Every structure is written in C-alpha cells, then in structure tokens.
Amino acid sequence: MDKGKAVMGAGRRWAVDFSDQSTVPSSRDILDPPGFSRASPEQDDSATSRQKKDAEATWKLQQKAWEVAQSPFKNLMMMGFMMWMAGNTVHLFSIGITFSALWQPLSALQSVGKIFESFKDNKVELLMPKLVFLALNLGGLALGIWKLNTLGLLPTHASDWVSSLPPPQEVEHSGGGFAFH
Amino acid sequence: MAIKASLLLLVFLSSTIVSFSLYEDQVGLMDWHQRYIGKVKHAVFHTQKAGRKRVIVSTEENVVASLDLRHGEIFWRHVLGTNDAIDGVEIALGKYVITLSSQGSTLRAWNLPDGQMVWETSLHSAQISKSLLSVPINLKVDKDYPILAFGGGYLHAVSAIDGERVLQPPESSIIYVLGFLHSSEAVVYQIDSKTGEVVAEKSMVFPDGFSGAVSSVSSDKIVVLDSTRSILVTIGFLDGDISFQKTPVSDLVEDSGNAEILSPLLSNMVAVKVNRRTIFVRVGGEGKLEVVDSLSDETAMSVSLPVADDQVAFASAHHEGSKIQLMVKLVDDLETVLLRESIEMDQHRGRVDKVFINNYIKTDMSNGFRALIVMEDHSLLLLQQGAIVWSREEGLASVTDVTTAELPVEKDGVSVAKVEHTLVDWLKGHMLKLKGSLLLASPEDVAAIQEMRMKSSGRSKLTRDHNGFRKLFIALTRAGKLFALHTGDGRIVWSMLLNSPSKSEACERPSGISLYQWQVPHHHAMDENPSVLVVGRCGSDSSAPGVLSFVDVYTGKEISSSDIGHSVVRVMPLPFTDSTEQRLHLIADTEGHVHLYPKTSEALSIFQREFQNVYWYTVEGDDGIIRGHGMKSSCAGETADEYCFTTKELWTVVFPSESEKIISTLTRKPNEVVHTQAKVNTDQDLLYKYVSRNLLFVATVSPKGAGEIGSVTPEESALVVYLIDTITGRILHRLSHQGCQGPVHAVFSENWVVYHYFNLRAHKYEVTVVEIYDQSRAENKNVWKLVLGKHNLTAPISSYSRPEMFTKSQSYFFAQSVKTIAVTSTAKGITSKQLLIGTIGDQILALDKRFVDPRRTLNPSQAEKEEGIIPLTDSLPIIPQSYITHSLKVEGLRGIVTAPAKLESTTHVFAYGVDLFYTRLAPSKTYDSLADDFSYALLLITIVALVAAIYITWVISEKKELSEKWR
C-alpha cells in the first residue's frame, strides 16, 4: 500500500496495485477496474492454506526429524551384517568394524544437539525423535560392546583380572640338595 | 562360513607352528661356536716329513685330535664317549694314529692326514687293570711290526695294517712283561712274540708292598716306591730273574718326607719328587742309586727324546718369577744344557703341568727344540725359539659352572669402542642392504653385506647395550680358572686363575666348586662394580676347608679371598640383599652348621629377621634319604662366631632302599621370573598355577634299573617321580612309571616339570610333563571381587597352609636320547617358553612348550585350536629346522645355560661341553623389535617417494581443476 502511494507520489498518473489487498476503496483515487473485486472471497481460504502450509512444513520437519532419528537403524542393520561377516576371531577386519561400530554411535550421541538443531522450531516435537535417536544409537553402542565381548576384548572374566597379578610371595625360603663332590 | 573358518584356521596355524630357523646368511650373526679339545694327556709329534707338521694329542676330555703345529688349529678331532678314556696314543707306520681306550679294551687306528677311522678292534679283557700301548719304533715302514696293547689282564699283539690279531710276526723275540699282583708281588713273564706263549714265569713277593707310579729306567730295570713311600725299590728282571734292591729316600736326600715318582720315562734315571724338590736319581748298573741333580718343585719334565748321535735329551720347565725356564738337557750328562730359554708367561696360566718336546734340524744343522707345554689352567702352548708361537685356552673344554654378568654402562664422552660410522658409510651400508633386499646385489655385494653384518654395530663392544644383547658369561673351569666370555663374539674379555702362584701358602691349590652372583647393583650402590662369588675348596675331600673368592666382573680382578675355616657342603643363596646389593649366602658345612655371608652386622640383622623362615634340605643319594632342616640357634663353642648357626632336623623322607634309588633331583632356578599366577583355558576357565621355589622334583628307579638301559626287564624296573615341598617335607605328588628306566633328564620351570626317561616296554624314550595347579585358590572367580581387589591372591603364602593341589600330566614318545634339557628364560616371563634339548648327537633342539602341554587332546575343539593347542600325537616332532645349533655340534655337550636379555622376547643360550656355543633365541619371534636386517633405507626411500607422489598428484590435480574452471 505504502509502496503504491509512494509510486503515485513519484509522479505517475495512476497505478493499480494488485497486490494491495486492503478492502477499503476510499484509500484509492481511482476505481477498481470492472470485474475486479477487491473483496477476496478466498480471504479465509488463504489463511487456512497458510496454516496448512505451515502445518505441512512442520510436518515435513517432523518427518525429517523422525527420519534422522531413525537413520541409525539402517546403520545398525548394516553394522550387524558387517559384524556377522567379520566373524568372532580377533583380526584387523573385525577389530576395525567393531571400533567403527563403537565410534559411530558415540560421535552421534555427542552431536545429537547439532543434528537436531536444524529442526529447531517451537512447533516441531523433537523430544521423541531425539529419544528414538538416542535409543537407536545406544543400541548401536550396545551392539558394538556385545561384539567386543564376543571377540573377548572385554574384561568380563575373572581371568582378565587375575592375569596381571604376579605370583604371591613365599614366606619360607629353602635351598640345598646333593652335597658338593 | 565353514570355509572361512577353515581358511582362517589355516592362516592361523601356518603362522603359529613356526619353528626357529635361520637362513644360510644368518649363520654367525648372533651365534658363535668355539672348538676345543681339553687338557692334553699325551702328545705325539709328526714332523718327519715335509709338508704339514702336526702334533697328535689325546686329552682328558677323551678327544684325539691332530693340531697344526704352526698355528695350533685343529686339523681333525674325534670326541670319544665319556666312558671311552684314552690310555695311549701312538703313530704307527707313519700314517696311522693308534689309540687305546676304554681301559685297554678298544684299539683304533685313524688315518693321519684326515682323521678317518681305518680300523677298530675290540680287545678281550677280563678285569680292570692299567692299560699300556706300545708301538715298536720301526725304521722299515713296509714291515708290519705288531702293536702291543695291554689291558684287562691280557696282552695283545695286533697288526697295525688291519687291526687283526697277529699270528705270524716277522721275527721271533722274547717280550718281557713285568706286573704286580696285589701290589706286593712282582711277576715277570717271558712271552714268545711269535706264538704268544708264555715261555717262563717268575714271581717274587715283596713284603712291604708297592705304591705309586712306576718308572722304567732301562730295558731290564724299573723303580717303584714301597707302600710307606719312603723307600725306592729297584726291580731288576734280567733274564726272567727278579731282584729287589731297596734304597731309603733318606739316604739320598736329608730330611725326606713322602716321596713321589714322577712318571716321565728317562733312561737310566728316575725323577723323584720329595720335599717340594725334584731330584734326579741315576740308576747305576748294579742298581746303585745316586742323586745327580735336583730342581725346585713344580718342575714339569718331558719324556726323553732321542737326539742325534745316540744321545737322549729331555726337557724340563719350571717357574722363575713371572717367567718360565725351559731347559733341554742330555740325560747322560746333566751339565750339558742344549737349550735354555726363559719365556714371559701370564701368571694366570699357573704353573707348568706337562712338557712335550720335539726336535728339528736347524739350517745350521744343529738341533732345535720346540716344546708343547700344558699349563695348570689346562691351556696348551707351543714354545719355540724363546717365544710363544700359539696358545689354546683348553680350560674352556671343561666348564663346570656358568653365570652371567652385565657389562659396564657406557659413560658419556668416554668412547670405549671405535667411533661410529660416518654418515656416508652408514648410507652406503644401507644402500647395499637395500640392493640386497631388492635382489639387485652382485655376488661381491652380497659378500660385502655379509661381512658388514658380521661385524655390525659394535656387537663386540665392551659396554652395556639397550637391548641387553651384550653380556658376559662367567665360566668356571675344572682347572679353577674363571673366564669372562663376551656374548657378541665369544672372545675372552678376562680370565683369572684362582690358584695363581702369588696366592697364600695356606691353601695351595683350591679347586673351584661353584659360582654365584654376589653383587648385582641395579638400584642402589650403582657406583660399585658387580662381582661374583667363587666357592672353592682346599683339596678334593668334602671335609676340606673352603675358600671364598670375590671377583670383580668388570675388571676380572680378585677383590678379596678368604679361607673360611670350615668345609663347604652346600651353598644356598638367600633371596635377600643388603644395602649394597650384596646377596646373602648360607654355606653349610659337614657338621650340620650353616654360616652366613657376608659377615656384616647388617646382613646379620637381615638374616635374624627371617631366621625362622629359612630352611635347607640335604639329599643323601646313597641312603635314599632327604632331610629337611630348620635354623635353631647360634653356634656354641670356642671357634664359633655370631655368623654361625646350628640347625635342627625337621623332617625326613626315606625311600625304600630295596625298591627305590634316587637318581635325579631338581628345583626351579631361583632367579626365574614368573609373570602371572593364572592359567587361562579356552572357555575363560581359570586355573591357578602352584608357583613355588620350595618344590623339589625327585626321580627314583629300582636299584636293579639304575644301570644301563636295557640291562633289566620291564617287570623289574620302575621309575617313580615325586614332588616334595622342601619346607614341610610333604609329598605333593607321586607318579609311578612301571617298566621304565633312567637316566632321567628333567627341567623345572614355573609350575611344570618335563622329564625324559626310557620306556622298556615300548623300547622308546619318553617325555612326560607334569603341571601343578593350586586347588585352594580356585574359588577366586568372582569378577567383582577381583575388580575391587577383594582377594588374597597376592598375599604371601606359607607352605604350612597346606595348599591343596592337583596335577595334569601327559606323556609322549621322543625319538632321541637326551644329554641335558634346559628352558628359555626371559626378563619378565611373558614370552612363551621353549625347551632346549641337548640331544645325543651334541646338538640342541628347541621344542615349543606347547608340544608338551597336558591339555592336548586328539581332537581339540575349534576354540582350542584357535588358542594354539596342537592335536595330540604319540610322539614329539623333531623338526630339523628347529635345531638352534644348525649345522654345528657342541661336542661333548654337558650343559645349557639360559639368561634373559633386557628385551622381553629374547633370551641368551650358552651351551658348554668340549665345545662352546652361544646364540640368542626369540621363542615367540622378536615381536618387540625390528629385525637386524631391517632396511631403514628402504623405509626412508618409501616415505620420500610417497611424499613426492602426494605433492606431484596435488600439483596435477590443482592444474586440472583450474583448467576445468576455465572451460
């Protein structure tokens, strides 16, 4: 509106601002062209559409957030498959896979805020996706630890704690044997 | 999956069942081998013909060898068995070396140039007696004069050509044989040399009896001593008649003590040692004795040697100060000295023990003499023209005890060895190595590489190195000499004779018994040099007073020595050290007292603190009794000092003498390091090792079976092994092998014993392993308790707590007869162990401990296989590549000593016998260091090439990107 006026004020004889959506004709110098109804019947409609659009965007965001939240699941499956392929013996391949399986969830958990930052919106419900994300990543971590355990790299047995213990000292000392010849 | 698993397994197995082996060009890089012959008994020169001059020697280590007379190198050498002592060696027909051995029952002929055996004859013998070998000196080579050999009560005439008994000697003559019966009756036989018949026999009783050596002065006279050793008896046996003529020694010299006839054969003369002097007694025609000369004691004499003009000469050698006086005199005219030389001699060689002389014609047609002398330390030297031409340290052929010592630390600014290579040399060397590893090297390059590796990087430096590869092995020899051998190249860093002539008169000739590490400074007292303790004894009797000698390891100088005034039966190093890191030692004497050393108040206070916890035990092999003793109180009596303690008997283990005889006892090495007390099985199951230093392994056999293998039937013989706690006398384990027989060779390490014996039923040698586990600690399996440290696994344990235990054992056949077994030892005890088996072929076989694991089963599970358990087989494999001696032989192998290097993966191995051998072993490969031949140049070049490649590709990609953008 202001813009239209401003344009007129710049010396134009007349101008129609189609984008002017104000319903008050008095503010204009010229009449509306015939057939042009300023009173938009879709006034309500547009508002709802805008809402709808917003909702759609939110929904999309939500959807995306959910997608992001669920993305570790695929990873999880993949990891599971890789781990199964790697077998249960300790060698370079299996150790590499296990450590990547441990590292991925850990790094994901660290940057969970950052990942969901792009979805930050008052309307978008992020708690649940975050929780799912966390849960899945924790699941991945658990899988990694389980793998570590099956590889025998976790100190869960008594042997792991005893092996480093030196033999006990003896209280008594003895020596001897055959006499020298 | 199955394929994958089996592939993995294949890869795993192929990488684990690796035997120790070398490439050809690695021989000599870290091992060395030294060949010896031992103390020379007889020497025969062979110098008549032009060509190689040589001397044939036989030694106390039962070696017959041919030495190069110019350089002292061994042309050839044969080590006869331990029971095959050589009684005589001669040269026959100018081309055969004849040896008589085994108390005169074996006669052998060896080819003189190359030492191949030509023939061997077993001579019949009935009883044990002195044996003699006589090879007639014949001028006509083509005529076959018989060799006369006496032994076991028989006289044999044997042809030198084929060793057959001679039936038709070329000409008939009478052989006179004089013998003694029951050392109081002289018998003369006259034997027809043609038929071997006894022509005449005459005997005569000499009531006083004979003793000592016999000296035959002429063809019809000998001189002996009577049983009181104060009367010289001349026995004439002309024409079969015996006549005695007695001359008291006191008639010859005043104030005479016990006399001793020296064995050298001098014509018409006898050398008698009396009153620390050697007198020469001429035997006159009618048996008259007169003293013609006398020399100071410790004079060694040679047998007489015919020189030109029917004259006979002999050599004598004695010490004068630090010099040796060598004299060659004519026998008939002692005033004529043909040769008088004085030679500077290292005082650590001791006195002259034996002299052998040989003459040669000089260019001016006069007689020259060369003398082969054997010193008190058993070394062999050739003297010629007043100088030592060569010397051989033959003492090292009879090593009795070995210990290790560290080298000095390299000080900053003090360069002991040569300056390191310059950078250019270093680069050149590495380029050569690189060439070698890329297979581009020419044969000359290969030779250069090999030479470079041989003398690489100061392996023979006299300072300690980072990896602990350079060390000293201190060896005590039977002659009582200490040698320090460098592990790098085996050279003698220093040597020291315990009974050097400068020693006190109180103990003239102490014999070394054993060696101990006395002071090893590594935490405190770093400025002190480490030292070893040599325990010796004055005389061979077990009640003879002992001598202690402390020797500085760095310099080889004796720090101090003391006559301790009591006998030495047993030495026991205690696990305590004082503030200067001197180890406390207890020495037990024959009266059942123990004496504490060092005699300081500090040591005494340390010992008093542990007084109740020190025990000692004795093994009485003849009675089959093992006794345990505890400390009681200080000694009472006027001679006692506060360092002497009495003991009380605590327990005895008596073996039934009719069924068991102790043949072997063994304990763990006191300085062995054990890394862990737990043994983990495949399913994470935990077993606690029973690791105790107070365990004694005892093997007994039935008295009948104590003889040679095969002398009894399987029913008569049984082998029983025991594990006995030496504190309480408790028998922890007993295992009986029916139908088995000794000798038992065993090795005890950590919680296991491996022993080797003969199975009479199977006619095979067997090896059995016994592992001991502690049952009473087996409950410690709760992880949380272990995590929180709520356990008593590291609390000190006492033998009186009666730990329950169980054993696991398994037996295997072993194809070889064994001389000794040892086990590798590493610094922390983490590296897996290898058994080092000294085989009957004088080689050393390295066998992984995994092969003697009681957990082996016929079909190990997958997990067990992955853990490295080998499927059970009935016999242990002998992999030719795992002989650590590769192509060499350690002749007369007697012992193997292992010592840890600083690098955990590596262990030093030193084997001694007649020969010496050293190598470095890595039982699990050198996992903690790069290989010696690692090509640093290749690594450098690779890095440089990679960096260059990265840079170039970066530049190219930049350019390409730019051109893409411009398009």
Side-chain angles (χ1 to χ4, degrees):
Chain A
M1 233 190 302
D2 297 350
K3 205 182 172 184
K5 273 177 193 168
V7 166
M8 273 194 304
R12 291 240 174 100
R13 288 179 63 197
W14 58 272
V16 179
D17 186 359
F18 289 109
S19 64
D20 187 4
Q21 292 195 344
S22 67
T23 45
V24 189
S26 61
S27 66
R28 267 170 274 264
D29 317 331
I30 355 159
L31 289 171
D32 285 339
F36 178 76
S37 163
R38 196 162 287 274
S40 168
E42 289 153 28
Q43 187 71 35
D44 278 351
D45 220 28
S46 102
T48 50
S49 92
R50 207 154 100 207
Q51 259 178 10
K52 213 170 155 190
K53 256 188 199 163
D54 273 0
E56 204 172 316
T58 318
W59 181 77
K60 267 188 183 163
L61 265 181
Q62 188 82 37
Q63 205 69 6
K64 262 198 182 150
W66 273 110
E67 234 166 73
V68 169
Q70 281 167 358
S71 66
F73 184 70
K74 261 188 266 168
N75 245 338
L76 210 66
M77 297 307 285
M78 174 104 140
M79 267 301 151
F81 180 70
M82 297 267 274
M83 280 174 184
W84 175 72
M85 283 297 289
N88 280 345
T89 44
V90 180
H91 49 83
L92 201 64
F93 189 54
S94 64
I95 286 184
I97 283 183
T98 313
F99 275 93
S100 79
L102 287 171
W103 176 246
Q104 272 185 4
L106 275 178
S107 63
L109 287 177
Q110 261 184 353
S111 56
V112 66
K114 214 180 260 176
I115 289 170
F116 284 96
E117 200 165 3
S118 50
F119 311 116
K120 209 164 187 183
D121 201 326
N122 291 337
K123 290 171 193 162
V124 182
E125 176 58 56
L126 280 179
L127 185 68
M128 277 315 284
K130 268 187 181 171
L131 279 180
V132 170
F133 185 81
L134 281 178
L136 282 173
N137 270 317
L138 284 176
L141 198 64
L143 191 71
I145 289 172
W146 171 79
K147 183 69 193 172
L148 212 57
N149 192 27
T150 53
L151 286 180
L153 297 178
L154 279 190
T156 52
H157 295 277
S159 54
D160 302 316
W161 297 92
V162 175
S163 295
S164 57
L165 294 179
Q169 293 283 317
E170 282 177 290
V171 177
E172 294 97 353
H173 312 283
S174 81
F178 277 108
F180 290 130
H181 294 296
Chain B
M1 191 71 188
I3 292 171
K4 190 189 73 177
S6 60
L7 260 176
L8 272 177
L9 186 72
L10 193 75
V11 170
F12 185 70
L13 286 182
S14 60
S15 64
T16 50
I17 303 187
V18 279
S19 53
F20 174 85
S21 55
L22 291 168
Y23 290 104
E24 197 181 348
D25 62 344
Q26 288 175 319
V27 166
L29 279 185
M30 48 190 186
D31 56 326
W32 46 260
H33 179 238
Q34 294 174 354
R35 308 203 310 158
Y36 292 101
I37 53 175
K39 186 189 180 189
V40 170
K41 278 200 289 197
H42 313 278
V44 185
F45 291 87
H46 182 77
T47 52
Q48 282 89 357
K49 284 184 191 147
R52 284 170 156 182
K53 302 212 181 324
R54 61 187 85 213
V55 56
I56 311 296
V57 292
S58 73
T59 72
E60 289 182 354
E61 303 296 325
N62 304 343
V63 176
V64 53
S66 164
L67 302 179
D68 184 348
L69 211 46
R70 284 188 209 287
H71 306 106
E73 287 152 15
I74 299 172
F75 279 137
W76 54 261
R77 170 184 75 152
H78 292 287
V79 182
L80 309 184
T82 45
N83 304 323
D84 206 3
I86 301 169
D87 305 307
V89 58
E90 292 287 349
I91 293 177
L93 302 175
K95 57 180 178 178
Y96 293 153
V97 177
I98 310 289
T99 59
L100 181 70
S101 58
S102 293
Q103 282 105 40
S105 65
T106 312
L107 196 64
R108 294 189 182 93
W110 316 88
N111 196 10
L112 185 58
D114 56 7
Q116 283 180 340
M117 190 157 77
V118 184
W119 50 259
E120 180 187 62
T121 305
S122 278
L123 304 178
H124 181 73
S125 62
Q127 73 220 48
I128 294 164
S129 74
K130 221 177 152 175
S131 53
L132 298 165
L133 175 69
S134 162
V135 176
I137 302 160
N138 48 341
L139 300 169
K140 285 170 251 166
V141 174
D142 54 324
K143 272 210 168 170
D144 182 16
Y145 280 83
I147 298 160
L148 296 177
F150 175 78
Y154 282 82
L155 182 71
H156 304 270
V158 176
S159 159
I161 290 172
D162 52 7
E164 295 295 316
R165 208 146 306 150
V166 179
L167 295 175
Q168 291 291 324
E171 54 202 68
S172 178
S173 61
I174 300 290
I175 300 166
Y176 287 93
V177 179
L178 176 80
F180 298 119
L181 269 179
H182 316 301
S183 73
S184 64
E185 192 176 353
V187 191
V188 172
Y189 298 97
Q190 292 178 46
I191 298 170
D192 188 342
S193 73
K194 186 166 182 165
T195 60
E197 272 173 33
V198 176
V199 178
E201 177 188 341
K202 192 144 192 171
S203 69
M204 197 167 167
V205 176
F206 182 73
D208 292 350
F210 305 111
S211 73
V214 176
S215 183
S216 72
V217 287
S218 64
S219 60
D220 58 355
K221 263 194 216 82
I222 64 163
V223 177
V224 291
L225 273 170
D226 79 336
S227 55
T228 60
R229 286 171 172 260
S230 58
I231 298 168
L232 283 173
V233 184
T234 314
I235 306 172
F237 50 98
L238 190 66
D239 299 330
D241 286 328
I242 305 178
S243 61
F244 296 124
Q245 199 155 17
K246 292 195 265 186
T247 316
V249 181
S250 51
D251 288 4
L252 303 171
V253 269
E254 290 151 24
D255 187 29
S256 62
N258 277 357
E260 191 185 336
I261 289 183
L262 299 176
S263 49
L265 298 162
L266 301 172
S267 53
N268 288 325
M269 195 131 71
V270 59
V272 181
K273 193 176 146 190
V274 61
N275 275 354
R276 295 176 163 269
R277 292 195 73 75
T278 305
I279 56 169
F280 293 88
V281 181
R282 163 135 330 129
V283 182
E286 294 83 41
K288 273 246 170 69
L289 300 182
E290 55 169 329
V291 178
V292 286
D293 198 5
S294 80
L295 283 168
S296 70
D297 71 330
E298 311 304 347
T299 302
M301 274 174 299
S302 71
V303 297
S304 51
L305 172 86
V307 290
D309 311 330
D310 295 333
Q311 282 177 316
V312 184
F314 75 100
S316 68
H318 62 275
H319 261 281
E320 263 176 32
S322 65
K323 289 186 170 179
I324 280 185
Q325 290 286 342
L326 177 72
M327 281 188 281
V328 179
K329 295 178 185 174
L330 284 181
V331 172
D332 297 328
D333 182 11
L334 288 174
E335 301 307 311
T336 316
V337 178
L338 297 177
L339 179 81
R340 183 194 290 274
E341 285 172 352
S342 77
I343 295 140
E344 191 71 40
M345 186 64 71
D346 176 13
Q347 67 155 354
H348 284 300
R349 292 197 188 280
R351 290 165 279 229
V352 185
D353 201 51
K354 281 194 167 93
V355 184
F356 304 96
I357 53 162
N358 174 236
N359 63 332
Y360 59 97
I361 308 295
K362 285 190 196 161
T363 43
D364 60 352
M365 297 308 282
S366 66
N367 263 315
F369 293 94
R370 54 170 84 89
L372 196 65
I373 60 171
V374 180
M375 303 296 290
E376 200 179 357
D377 68 341
H378 297 183
S379 60
L380 184 70
L381 300 102
L382 185 79
L383 308 179
Q384 195 170 345
Q385 290 169 352
I388 300 170
V389 182
W390 51 259
S391 65
R392 295 181 60 87
E393 289 290 352
E394 293 304 337
L396 283 170
S398 55
V399 172
T400 55
D401 202 0
V402 180
T403 187
T404 55
E406 293 288 348
L407 282 159
V409 184
E410 190 163 11
K411 292 190 182 75
D412 290 329
V414 182
S415 178
V416 180
K418 279 178 277 176
V419 186
E420 291 287 334
H421 305 295
T422 59
L423 188 68
V424 179
D425 282 344
W426 185 85
L427 263 180
K428 256 186 201 166
H430 276 294
M431 284 313 290
L432 260 181
K433 270 190 192 174
L434 182 65
K435 257 176 146 182
S437 52
L438 296 177
L439 303 173
L440 296 171
S442 61
E444 297 94 70
D445 288 347
V446 171
I449 294 169
Q450 188 68 6
E451 193 192 351
M452 204 166 60
R453 290 163 97 188
M454 285 298 203
K455 54 181 185 188
S456 70
S457 60
R459 60 182 266 210
S460 55
K461 261 190 190 173
L462 274 178
T463 51
R464 217 175 282 186
D465 67 332
H466 185 64
N467 291 331
F469 288 169
R470 294 200 293 265
K471 251 188 156 108
L472 290 179
F473 273 103
I474 314 285
L476 177 69
T477 67
R478 198 175 296 147
K481 194 170 183 181
L482 275 187
F483 287 93
L485 300 169
H486 196 287
T487 56
D489 52 4
R491 73 171 187 279
I492 297 163
V493 178
W494 52 260
S495 62
M496 196 209 78
L497 190 66
L498 291 178
N499 40 346
S500 52
S502 61
K503 280 282 292 283
S504 64
E505 291 292 305
C507 185
E508 205 177 333
R509 282 168 184 259
S511 56
I513 300 174
S514 54
L515 266 180
Y516 299 90
Q517 291 189 337
W518 178 253
Q519 193 178 16
V520 188
H522 59 287
H523 289 307
H524 318 291
M526 287 299 284
D527 50 335
E528 303 224 14
N529 290 359
S531 53
V532 289
L533 163 69
V534 189
V535 179
R537 181 188 279 166
C538 299
S540 54
D541 187 25
S542 69
S543 60
V547 180
L548 299 186
S549 173
F550 305 94
V551 180
D552 186 329
V553 168
Y554 289 173
T555 60
K557 298 272 182 297
E558 195 171 48
I559 301 165
S560 66
S561 73
S562 56
D563 299 330
I564 53 179
H566 58 80
S567 55
V568 176
V569 174
R570 195 70 228 183
V571 181
M572 174 184 161
L574 294 174
F576 319 114
T577 52
D578 67 5
S579 59
T580 56
E581 300 214 26
Q582 290 185 345
R583 188 161 290 278
L584 270 60
H585 284 71
L586 282 183
I587 298 181
D589 64 10
T590 43
E591 286 153 23
H593 296 169
V594 292
H595 303 263
L596 177 71
Y597 292 89
K599 290 195 170 183
T600 58
S601 54
E602 189 196 356
L604 191 65
S605 69
I606 294 171
F607 182 67
Q608 295 281 6
R609 229 176 332 185
E610 297 283 343
F611 189 68
Q612 290 304 319
N613 292 330
V614 176
Y615 298 80
W616 71 291
Y617 64 93
T618 52
V619 181
E620 290 157 30
D622 299 333
D623 307 330
I625 300 175
I626 299 175
R627 293 178 203 277
H629 307 265
M631 298 295 134
K632 197 168 151 196
S633 61
S634 293
C635 291
E638 65 278 10
T639 55
D641 57 6
E642 52 185 328
Y643 304 101
C644 165
F645 301 93
T646 57
T647 57
K648 55 180 183 244
E649 195 174 298
L650 296 177
W651 51 265
T652 47
V653 177
V654 182
F655 296 98
S657 59
E658 67 275 8
S659 62
E660 292 183 31
K661 181 179 188 301
I662 300 172
I663 53 167
S664 173
T665 65
L666 184 73
T667 54
R668 272 178 60 201
K669 275 205 282 183
N671 54 358
E672 189 189 45
V673 181
V674 182
H675 176 246
T676 174
Q677 54 175 301
K679 166 106 177 172
V680 184
N681 282 351
T682 322
D683 44 356
Q684 305 296 318
D685 194 18
L686 203 56
L687 293 174
Y688 288 92
K689 298 174 185 173
Y690 186 75
V691 183
S692 169
R693 292 184 207 287
N694 302 324
L695 269 185
L696 179 70
F697 167 84
V698 181
T700 66
V701 286
S702 341
K704 274 186 181 174
E708 271 180 51
I709 287 168
S711 57
V712 282
T713 58
E715 287 74 29
E716 286 174 326
S717 185
L719 175 80
V720 189
V721 299
Y722 297 87
L723 286 166
I724 297 174
D725 189 306
T726 53
I727 305 293
T728 58
R730 189 158 78 111
I731 295 173
L732 301 177
H733 185 62
R734 179 182 188 274
L735 191 62
S736 153
H737 300 271
Q738 291 300 323
C740 292
Q741 204 185 3
V744 171
H745 299 281
V747 62
F748 197 155
S749 168
E750 294 196 0
N751 66 327
W752 50 263
V753 189
V754 172
Y755 54 97
H756 177 270
Y757 53 92
F758 190 74
N759 186 333
L760 287 163
R761 276 184 225 279
H763 301 286
K764 276 178 181 172
Y765 286 100
E766 273 187 4
V767 168
T768 294
V769 56
V770 178
E771 292 189 355
I772 316 140
Y773 293 100
D774 193 342
Q775 185 69 53
S776 51
R777 339 186 110 219
E779 279 73 50
N780 283 307
K781 279 184 180 164
N782 189 324
V783 179
W784 290 110
K785 275 190 180 172
L786 291 169
V787 172
L788 298 171
K790 293 202 168 171
H791 58 83
N792 58 352
L793 291 175
T794 47
I797 53 162
S798 163
S799 289
Y800 288 108
S801 61
R802 295 179 72 84
E804 279 175 58
M805 54 204 44
F806 68 100
T807 57
K808 290 183 164 196
S809 58
Q810 208 166 55
S811 297
Y812 321 88
F813 290 128
F814 189 69
Q816 292 234 25
S817 177
V818 162
K819 282 186 164 178
T820 178
I821 310 183
V823 65
T824 57
S825 59
T826 51
K828 302 252 186 307
I830 299 169
T831 308
S832 63
K833 301 216 179 257
Q834 274 184 337
L835 298 178
L836 302 174
I837 300 171
T839 63
I840 195 73
D842 291 328
Q843 293 209 306
I844 301 171
L845 180 76
L847 184 76
D848 267 7
K849 170 68 176 61
R850 294 188 298 132
F851 285 103
V852 282
D853 186 350
R855 290 167 61 215
R856 284 176 72 182
T857 50
L858 277 177
N859 289 307
S861 69
Q862 190 67 32
E864 282 177 332
K865 273 185 192 164
E866 279 174 16
E867 200 200 321
I869 288 186
I870 304 158
L872 182 62
T873 47
D874 61 346
S875 62
L876 295 174
I878 293 177
I879 306 158
Q881 288 92 332
S882 50
Y883 281 108
I884 62 168
T885 44
H886 41 89
S887 62
L888 303 170
K889 277 175 90 178
V890 190
E891 293 282 4
L893 180 66
R894 284 198 311 272
I896 302 169
V897 176
T898 59
K902 259 186 219 154
L903 211 58
E904 167 58 28
S905 67
T906 312
T907 170
H908 298 279
V909 179
F910 178 68
Y912 58 90
V914 175
D915 290 354
L916 301 181
F917 177 78
Y918 162 84
T919 191
R920 248 184 1 239
L921 276 190
S924 308
K925 303 233 159 178
T926 48
Y927 54 82
D928 49 4
S929 67
L930 289 171
D932 270 349
D933 52 352
F934 182 80
S935 178
Y936 290 93
L938 189 62
L939 181 72
L940 257 174
I941 287 170
T942 314
I943 290 170
V944 168
L946 276 175
V947 168
I950 288 168
Y951 183 74
I952 290 165
T953 46
W954 178 70
V955 168
I956 290 173
S957 81
E958 285 284 292
K959 269 186 184 166
K960 203 174 177 188
E961 215 168 283
L962 198 65
S963 60
E964 292 256 314
K965 278 182 180 164
W966 276 108
R967 197 177 285 168

